[in-house]
Amino acid sequence: MWREFLGNSTSGGTGGKNTRSRAPAPQPPALAPYSKRTPAAPTSHPHPLMDKPHHSPTSWPDARAIAARAAVKEAAHAAPVMRPLSEALGQVLAAPLAALTDLPPFDTSAMDGWALAGPGPWRLPTDDQDQDHGILAGHGAAAALPDGHAVRIATGARVPPGATAVLRSEYGTDAGDGWLHASAAHPVVLGQDIRTRGQECRSGDQLLPAGTLVTPAVLGLAAAAGYDELPTVRRPRVEVLVLGDELLTEGLPQDGRIRDALGPMVGPWLRALGAEVTGTRRLTDEADAVCAAVAESSADVVVTTGGTAAGPVDHVHPTLRRLGAELLVDGVAVRPGHPMLLARLAPENPEDSKKSENPEKSETPGPQTRPARHLVGLPGNPLAAVSGLLTLAEPLLRTLTGRPAPAPGPAPLAEAVQGHPRDTRLVPVTFRQDAAVPLRFTGPAMLRGIAVADGLAVIPPGGAKRGTEVEVLDLPWSAIATEQLSYADQSRHADQSRHADQSRHADQSRHADQSRHANQTRHADQSRPTGRAPRPPRASHRKDNAARHGDGEDISPEEGPA
């Protein structure tokens, strides 16, 4: 549940490292900042990269690499946000987590029993209070324990000086004659059941690297290591602009208009990628309205839907020209979604900079202090927009949120997938026995496939045969389900193993922790296929979605904008 709140990722995000060569991003000339927050007049000298109506699209791996590098400078200069532990859940560590103290900070008892000094039998205290309670957790240092003596001690209590071992309550016998005897079946071993100081870590040891997602377990570790607050990465602020006169926000399609599927989908998807979505605005297909909305946005990233092609009401490219933006990616050789784009917007003007010399210490500064920096233009077709989210928005936001790039996630195809002659294809798949099963309804405007998918398979130009290992871009929620299921399976098997061990080996309970850990590790290794995390089982009705006779998408060279 917490990872769904986090928007994780855990997975650390979707996508994966690509091993193919990546050409460096084009380096356009320096840009002049726009001087007003309102749309500027068209210039007679548009940006050179934007004055070429015919150009080769960027390859899919190169587009992802460019997006990942686009905000490196902004991420490096972003100041961390200090958050109290109660507010840090779901954030990302902006700096490594180093221990502020030894763990444990002093020698402690791992069990309820007696602290012992030397070999037994051991003399017990004659004081009634010492006999009843002994040394309790939370108390200061106790008096040194003489050789040959024993004293009652509670779990977590500080071991007194001179103690050489702790004898568990069930392994000792107090006959009432003032002497403590250990069970013959459980001879005392030097240091047993004592958690020595620094056993887990020493002060200054690095516990977690920067970029770690703050989970409840991380909060617990941070508290134990002495932290009251954590340095976290400021979440990038994203505004979504949905373009299109034909879109309805409620009711059934009518009079040539259709329901807006992107407004309800894109914002939550961006939150799952670690963004702080400031809002979703719907705009008419008017050039001035689009330009003004982009120019006046206070977000770090503006995400537009629709209007990225070259039609009569496609205003994204003209808007970028008017604002003097730098196009980093203008079209990607991928289907669906090839009209997607990524741009770096002009920096704020000097007057705005003067106004923001003393900004408030807030993660969500006002519009005067944080103008838009990047724009991701998504195609208007729903599945094509998803392709744009995973191709451009995910790597960009991964950099801005400080998360590491996820490891590649290959999987064998359960069936052959037809490819585009020149472009990469992203095909929704689900997993059956850890094989990627291609789904139907994969046209650019279709959502039935992605709605039940675990990820998008990356199909190279020309297609892929059955059994071919292909990269799969995990969806944030499918990664969450996988991790939760994996943890649940391991816990269930651990409980079963622990119950069996206790029934068969009641006299060996001091080794229960080691056995339980070994059982969990062994189960995890057996259930995890090579190179891939365990996949959650899918409902039987989803298996019927596997494509067997094509996928319903035109992938001919003459395919129109997607």
Side-chain angles (χ1 to χ4, degrees):
M1 289 296 295
W2 75 80
R3 289 190 179 273
E4 184 172 0
F5 168 76
L6 309 182
N8 161 313
S9 161
T10 183
S11 92
T14 57
K17 296 178 182 176
N18 198 295
T19 58
R20 285 175 283 184
S21 62
R22 295 170 176 173
Q27 299 298 323
L31 302 173
Y34 57 90
S35 58
K36 296 182 179 180
R37 308 300 272 165
T38 54
T43 175
S44 59
H45 301 286
H47 194 280
L49 291 184
M50 303 183 66
D51 196 25
K52 298 179 181 179
H54 302 289
H55 63 277
S56 298
T58 306
S59 71
W60 183 79
D62 284 352
R64 285 177 57 80
I66 292 170
R69 297 194 303 263
V72 169
K73 183 183 296 184
E74 288 81 355
H77 290 88
V81 178
M82 299 302 298
R83 298 179 184 274
L85 296 185
S86 59
E87 299 176 8
L89 182 66
Q91 305 298 319
V92 174
L93 291 180
L97 188 74
L100 302 179
T101 181
D102 296 342
L103 285 181
F106 41 78
D107 293 352
T108 60
S109 175
M111 292 289 169
D112 291 332
W114 292 271
L116 313 174
W122 302 270
R123 190 71 177 173
L124 293 170
T126 56
D127 182 84
D128 291 340
Q129 184 175 0
D130 287 342
Q131 285 184 323
D132 293 340
H133 301 291
I135 305 173
L136 303 179
H139 289 200
L145 191 63
D147 189 43
H149 285 67
V151 63
R152 275 280 184 184
I153 193 168
T155 300
R158 188 166 186 165
V159 174
T164 55
V166 169
L167 179 65
R168 301 185 184 191
S169 297
E170 60 268 31
Y171 297 161
T173 302
D174 178 2
D177 58 357
W179 290 91
L180 173 67
H181 299 266
S183 168
H186 299 91
V188 175
V189 178
L190 182 67
Q192 74 178 28
D193 288 328
I194 293 179
R195 298 186 181 124
T196 58
R197 176 177 179 172
Q199 185 181 67
E200 185 172 2
C201 67
R202 288 292 186 180
S203 179
D205 286 353
Q206 180 175 317
L207 304 177
L208 296 169
T212 299
L213 192 67
V214 179
T215 65
V218 171
L219 292 175
L221 177 60
Y227 285 86
D228 300 318
E229 57 183 12
L230 294 174
T232 62
V233 177
R234 186 183 68 85
R235 291 192 177 194
R237 303 175 71 245
V238 180
E239 183 176 21
V240 180
L241 304 179
V242 179
L243 315 181
D245 291 334
E246 76 280 11
L247 302 178
L248 296 170
T249 58
E250 59 183 10
L252 296 176
Q254 56 183 318
D255 300 328
R257 303 180 68 190
I258 60 174
R259 281 296 298 271
D260 170 27
L262 295 179
M265 178 178 71
V266 173
W269 201 304
L270 293 168
R271 290 189 186 95
L273 295 178
E276 177 192 346
V277 179
T278 61
T280 297
R281 298 170 58 189
R282 292 173 173 82
L283 304 176
T284 59
D285 285 322
E286 297 179 4
D288 287 345
V290 175
C291 189
V294 174
E296 296 170 359
S297 176
S298 63
D300 300 297
V301 179
V302 175
V303 175
T304 62
T305 68
T308 57
V313 292
D314 291 331
H315 300 304
V316 175
H317 280 94
T319 290
L320 296 176
R321 284 195 293 269
R322 292 173 67 179
L323 298 179
E326 175 189 356
L327 263 179
L328 304 177
V329 176
D330 187 12
V332 179
V334 65
R335 304 299 171 114
H338 67 270
M340 67 181 74
L341 61 85
L342 171 64
R344 179 179 292 118
L345 298 175
E348 63 182 4
N349 63 53
E351 292 182 1
D352 289 335
S353 297
K354 293 179 181 179
K355 295 178 182 179
S356 60
E357 287 179 355
N358 297 308
E360 296 181 2
K361 295 181 179 180
S362 170
E363 187 189 10
T364 57
Q368 295 85 6
T369 64
R370 193 165 295 280
R373 289 180 176 141
H374 291 86
L375 182 142
V376 176
L378 305 178
N381 281 319
L383 188 57
V386 170
S387 175
L389 283 170
L390 297 184
T391 301
L392 298 179
E394 186 275 329
L396 178 70
L397 293 174
R398 185 202 317 142
T399 299
L400 288 171
T401 55
R403 303 174 191 232
L413 286 173
E415 299 182 15
V417 178
Q418 186 179 4
H420 187 276
R422 299 179 307 274
D423 298 346
T424 299
R425 285 192 69 201
L426 300 183
V427 177
V429 294
T430 190
F431 288 95
R432 184 191 306 161
Q433 297 179 348
D434 208 53
V437 182
L439 298 171
R440 296 163 56 195
F441 306 109
T442 59
M446 297 180 179
L447 287 175
R448 286 184 65 180
I450 195 67
V452 295
D454 295 313
L456 290 177
V458 181
I459 307 300
K465 297 179 180 180
R466 177 180 179 179
T468 301
E469 290 266 341
V470 296
E471 181 180 356
V472 177
L473 307 180
D474 285 325
L475 306 180
W477 35 92
S478 66
I480 292 167
T482 297
E483 292 172 7
Q484 289 179 337
L485 181 73
S486 175
Y487 177 79
D489 285 347
Q490 293 181 31
S491 298
R492 181 171 61 254
H493 281 256
D495 290 341
Q496 294 171 352
S497 299
R498 183 167 60 253
H499 177 73
D501 288 343
Q502 290 174 346
S503 300
R504 291 193 302 267
H505 308 291
D507 59 338
Q508 298 180 2
S509 59
R510 82 169 169 270
H511 302 297
D513 289 345
Q514 298 174 0
S515 300
R516 181 161 62 253
H517 175 75
N519 290 338
Q520 290 182 1
T521 304
R522 182 168 59 253
H523 169 70
D525 290 341
Q526 293 172 349
S527 64
R528 183 178 297 111
T530 301
R532 191 158 192 90
R535 291 288 175 185
R538 295 289 145 192
S540 59
H541 73 274
R542 292 190 176 182
K543 297 179 181 180
D544 297 333
N545 288 334
R548 301 186 182 277
H549 303 290
D551 59 11
E553 181 184 356
D554 177 13
I555 56 172
S556 67
E558 293 76 28
E559 180 184 13

